Amino acid sequence: MTTDNTVAAPASSPMPLVYVRNVHKSFGHLEVLKGIDMEVASGEVVTILGPSGSGKSTFLRCLNQLEPIDKGFIMIDGEQAGYKLQDGRLVKLRAGEVRRQRRKIGMVFQQFNLYSNKTALENIIEAPVTVHGETREEAVAYAMELLKKVGLDDRADSFPRQLSGGQQQRVAIARALAIKPKLILFDEPTSALDPELVGEVLETMRDLATQGLTMIVVTHEIGFARDAADRVIFMDGGVVVEEGKPEDVLLNPQQARTRQFLNRFIRA
Amino acid sequence: MSDGAAVTAAIAEDDSLRDVAHAYKPLPIVRGLVWLVIGLIALKVLVVLAQNRNFGWGIVGEWLTEASILRGLWVTLWLGVVSMALGVVLGLFLAIGRMSKDVLISSLASVYIWFFRGTPLLVQLIFWYNLSYLFPEIVIGIPFGPTLASWNTNDVISPLTAAIGGLALNEAAYMAEVIRGGLLSVDHGQIEATQAFGMSPFRALLRVILPQAMRAIVPPTGNQFISMMKSTSLVSVIAMADLLYSVQAVYNRTFEIIPMLLVAVFYYLVITSLLNVGQGFIERYYGRGERDAAGPAKAAQAPEG
Ligand SMILES: Nc1ncnc2c1ncn2[C@@H]1O[C@H](COP(=O)(O)OP(=O)(O)OP(=O)(O)O)[C@@H](O)[C@H]1O
Ligand SMILES: [Mg+2]
């Protein structure tokens, strides 16, 4: 069954962790993604830049199957997201199998979305205990380690409302790390923060970037893209316009649309 | 320049006087008048209550602890509590059903709520009590298939089962809407987070969504519970010996209608007061995550602000 589900890796290069081909997504008549191709290797840190409304959030949500896609396909860790090949036919997965696939992916939201009825520690151990079947002791021990890593081990028993935005987002990052994900998705993790709190969250993310985690980060923080990313992808109008090494895309963009977008930041 | 300095000096002289911590309050004239008038009226009411012998306070005192009355009180208490508990559980299922994407399930829940909210509780109670006219036998079996078990309706539907069934089924319709309102009040981002982390809908409901919805669910549920305790008095029409029925049984013999009703009023007020206190505790529990931490959180943020 599982062998059906994995795609044989090409002989020369190993299958990338994320492999996206010709993904289309519409909301009603509005086509938001118009054929996205993307590959992300294991351990790679990729930032996605692009103007508002270009479909960045929608794309991340498709990767985690929070939105269904209309056309194309997404492979994550050798499995097709939401579908499987069975007897030469492509079959939609059941809800339980979709949940199993999602468990490999951590997600950090723009609005944090920490469970407001749970303390910081409870937020972090929730998925490991109830979804991944870890014992409470293991989960708490690892959660405290993660809280220390994001500099909040003294706030383990605080409820989200009692934390600043930056602290909440750091807890949310710890929550995403707690499930030992193969891939972490960040959707504008600093956009809802007061300017003086952005630094602490970016600092935490820079740390992660150096530790071999696979990260896809949608952000407007050009500085983070420049310093921490292995690759920058520029999206506009539902397509990937340009991608490459940060220094190439940011300093020497080939496409007019990329230049236009970056100019706004340079002027600002 | 020198003008400014003079003014500053003048203000400095008053500095100690101007500290608001030592200010006097003006006499609250209007408020005092209101209190006086209300106090007088209250006093008059008390005098009237005490002097009018028709209230029969002595009789009230005598019957307050009478065995038949206490038995009736006990029936009212557990009938209300059991019916409410069943109503809440069934209401939760109905609420989830109404929010279901499945058209069949959501319409079934809607029809249930429409019917049980749309007809008087008294009519429903009498209906359940007289169910045997419609269906002399109650049968459990596979539709159009074999019968698994059957009972004589009159053996199953006693005043007790008719009362519990009637009250609980009716309550469920109201609780369904209360709970649905609570579930809808939970921020969508919370639900999305549970999905993103691979939680099953059931687990998400139990561990994240329902606990947050409780803040919106508890106050109207307190209302419902109080209303339920009073609705139990309706079961006296189907010969269920609740508090009101026991009181009526006495005044039908003694004709001391007002004192006996006061006995019932006393106990209904005691029950609803206790429910109010309980509600306060539950609200505080579910308000935990909302409470502003005066302590560590503020202290940690202080340097920035
Ligand atoms: N659930 C939805 N229903 C209808 N339209 C949607 C929905 N979600 C997104 N859209 C539309 O899709 C387009 C792309 O939205 P998306 O949130 O992906 O953009 P974005 O690149 O993340 O923008 P931003 O930088 O502002 O976050 C927008 O025009 C938006 O209005
Ligand atoms: Mg977005």
Side-chain angles (χ1 to χ4, degrees):
Chain A
M1 245 187 84
T2 39
T3 44
D4 256 358
N5 227 355
T6 39
V7 164
S12 55
S13 66
M15 180 89 187
L17 186 74
V18 179
Y19 183 83
V20 175
R21 277 295 167 270
N22 195 29
V23 163
H24 289 251
K25 168 75 190 170
S26 300
F27 292 110
H29 292 299
L30 178 71
E31 192 172 32
V32 176
L33 301 181
K34 301 173 181 166
I36 302 272
D37 292 335
M38 196 178 290
E39 279 148 53
V40 179
S42 194
E44 202 179 8
V45 176
V46 171
T47 53
I48 302 181
L49 303 177
S52 184
S54 56
K56 307 181 297 292
S57 299
T58 305
F59 178 66
L60 283 195
R61 293 165 54 76
C62 289
L63 286 180
N64 205 6
Q65 303 186 57
L66 291 171
E67 297 284 357
I69 61 175
D70 302 328
K71 189 170 163 42
F73 66 93
I74 295 171
M75 304 284 303
I76 289 175
D77 194 26
E79 276 185 278
Q80 179 165 359
Y83 297 84
K84 64 180 167 193
L85 277 177
Q86 208 169 37
D87 309 324
R89 286 185 314 164
L90 191 64
V91 184
K92 210 166 186 300
L93 293 182
R94 292 180 177 278
E97 297 171 293
V98 169
R99 285 200 291 277
R100 182 183 52 75
Q101 289 188 334
R102 280 183 182 145
R103 288 172 200 169
K104 297 182 197 170
I105 304 175
M107 191 149 187
V108 176
F109 300 88
Q110 185 172 353
Q111 301 295 341
F112 329 135
N113 293 351
L114 288 177
Y115 308 131
S116 64
N117 60 317
K118 295 183 182 297
T119 63
L121 181 67
E122 289 167 349
N123 262 279
I124 299 172
I125 66 172
E126 181 62 31
V129 172
T130 65
V131 179
H132 295 256
E134 285 179 32
T135 67
R136 211 187 137 82
E137 292 75 55
E138 291 178 287
V140 167
Y142 190 45
M144 290 309 297
E145 208 176 292
L146 289 172
L147 275 172
K148 188 167 264 166
K149 197 164 169 177
V150 299
L152 287 170
D153 43 333
D154 54 333
R155 305 308 304 276
D157 296 323
S158 301
F159 285 96
R161 294 272 151 77
Q162 301 166 342
L163 298 172
S164 74
Q167 292 170 333
Q168 286 187 57
Q169 195 61 300
R170 277 142 67 199
V171 173
I173 291 172
R175 175 175 71 167
L177 290 172
I179 61 171
K180 306 186 175 94
K182 298 248 166 152
L183 168 70
I184 306 195
L185 309 175
F186 295 80
D187 190 1
E188 300 198 27
T190 57
S191 297
L193 297 176
D194 290 339
E196 73 266 28
L197 301 181
V198 168
E200 60 187 68
V201 172
L202 288 182
E203 193 53 43
T204 305
M205 290 171 56
R206 280 204 178 90
D207 265 0
L208 299 181
T210 60
Q211 290 169 15
L213 271 157
T214 315
M215 299 164 56
I216 301 181
V217 184
V218 170
T219 185
H220 290 298
E221 297 293 331
I222 302 285
F224 178 82
R226 184 191 56 219
D227 306 337
D230 299 312
R231 187 150 53 98
V232 172
I233 295 177
F234 176 71
M235 265 178 77
D236 192 8
V239 294
V240 172
V241 174
E242 184 166 359
E243 64 177 300
K245 289 213 163 65
E247 53 270 28
D248 296 338
V249 175
L250 296 175
L251 299 179
N252 189 19
Q254 300 302 307
Q255 302 291 327
R257 274 193 284 179
T258 319
R259 274 197 293 276
Q260 232 173 7
F261 175 79
L262 291 172
N263 274 341
R264 283 211 305 259
F265 284 92
I266 292 159
R267 265 193 240 115
Chain B
M1 201 46 204
S2 62
D3 266 2
V7 171
T8 320
I11 290 174
E13 236 169 72
D14 299 342
D15 270 8
S16 57
L17 279 176
R18 288 189 181 277
D19 184 348
V20 295
H22 308 299
Y24 291 89
K25 285 189 196 129
L27 269 182
I29 297 172
V30 175
R31 215 151 67 105
L33 277 177
V34 171
W35 277 61
L36 186 68
V37 171
I38 291 177
L40 281 175
I41 294 174
L43 196 64
K44 179 67 187 170
V45 168
L46 279 180
V47 169
V48 168
L49 284 179
Q51 281 183 342
N52 188 333
R53 308 171 121 252
N54 294 334
F55 280 102
W57 292 110
I59 301 165
V60 172
E62 272 169 41
W63 283 96
L64 215 47
T65 51
E66 175 69 29
S68 73
I69 301 295
L70 290 181
R71 269 200 302 276
L73 173 64
W74 175 239
V75 168
T76 289
L77 267 178
W78 73 254
L79 183 62
V81 170
V82 168
S83 306
M84 189 69 198
L86 291 173
V88 168
V89 172
L90 184 54
L92 176 61
F93 285 111
L94 284 169
I96 296 167
R98 255 205 94 171
M99 293 168 78
S100 165
K101 272 180 243 147
D102 189 297
V103 183
L104 177 68
I105 291 175
S106 73
S107 345
L108 275 181
S110 299
V111 167
Y112 180 101
I113 293 167
W114 166 78
F115 182 82
F116 281 92
R117 282 201 309 181
T119 52
L121 176 55
L122 187 56
V123 174
Q124 289 172 30
L125 282 171
I126 299 174
F127 179 87
W128 293 120
Y129 188 49
N130 293 295
L131 196 63
S132 62
Y133 287 118
L134 270 180
F135 305 104
E137 277 206 328
I138 294 175
V139 175
I140 291 183
I142 295 158
F144 309 109
T147 301
L148 299 178
S150 77
W151 297 273
N152 188 328
T153 304
N154 271 330
D155 295 345
V156 180
I157 303 287
S158 62
L160 175 66
T161 44
I164 293 181
L167 290 171
L169 292 178
N170 183 265
E171 187 60 37
Y174 286 91
M175 281 310 301
E177 289 298 88
V178 166
I179 293 171
R180 190 171 68 99
L183 294 179
L184 288 176
S185 76
V186 176
D187 177 31
H188 189 72
Q190 299 280 317
I191 298 164
E192 202 147 79
T194 66
Q195 288 174 343
F197 282 91
M199 264 200 235
S200 70
F202 177 72
R203 210 165 249 154
L205 183 77
L206 227 54
R207 300 198 50 93
V208 175
I209 300 164
L210 209 46
Q212 292 184 32
M214 284 305 273
R215 270 170 48 77
I217 290 175
V218 170
T221 302
N223 253 349
Q224 287 300 121
F225 207 164
I226 285 171
S227 166
M228 161 66 84
M229 291 318 295
K230 292 178 301 178
S231 300
T232 54
S233 63
L234 291 176
V235 302
S236 55
V237 301
I238 56 172
M240 183 81 189
D242 75 317
L243 180 56
L244 184 63
Y245 186 90
S246 313
V247 163
Q248 285 171 331
V250 174
Y251 71 59
N252 284 340
R253 276 187 285 121
T254 66
F255 302 106
E256 285 152 341
I257 299 179
I258 299 291
M260 290 316 293
L261 286 180
L262 286 177
V263 169
V265 164
F266 172 79
Y267 279 123
Y268 282 119
L269 282 176
V270 168
I271 294 172
T272 51
S273 308
L274 289 179
L275 287 179
N276 275 333
V277 174
Q279 181 180 339
F281 279 111
I282 295 174
E283 276 178 26
R284 232 160 296 145
Y285 175 80
Y286 283 108
R288 269 178 324 162
E290 304 297 319
R291 181 174 53 206
D292 264 332
K298 287 279 152 60
Q301 282 173 37
E304 288 147 5

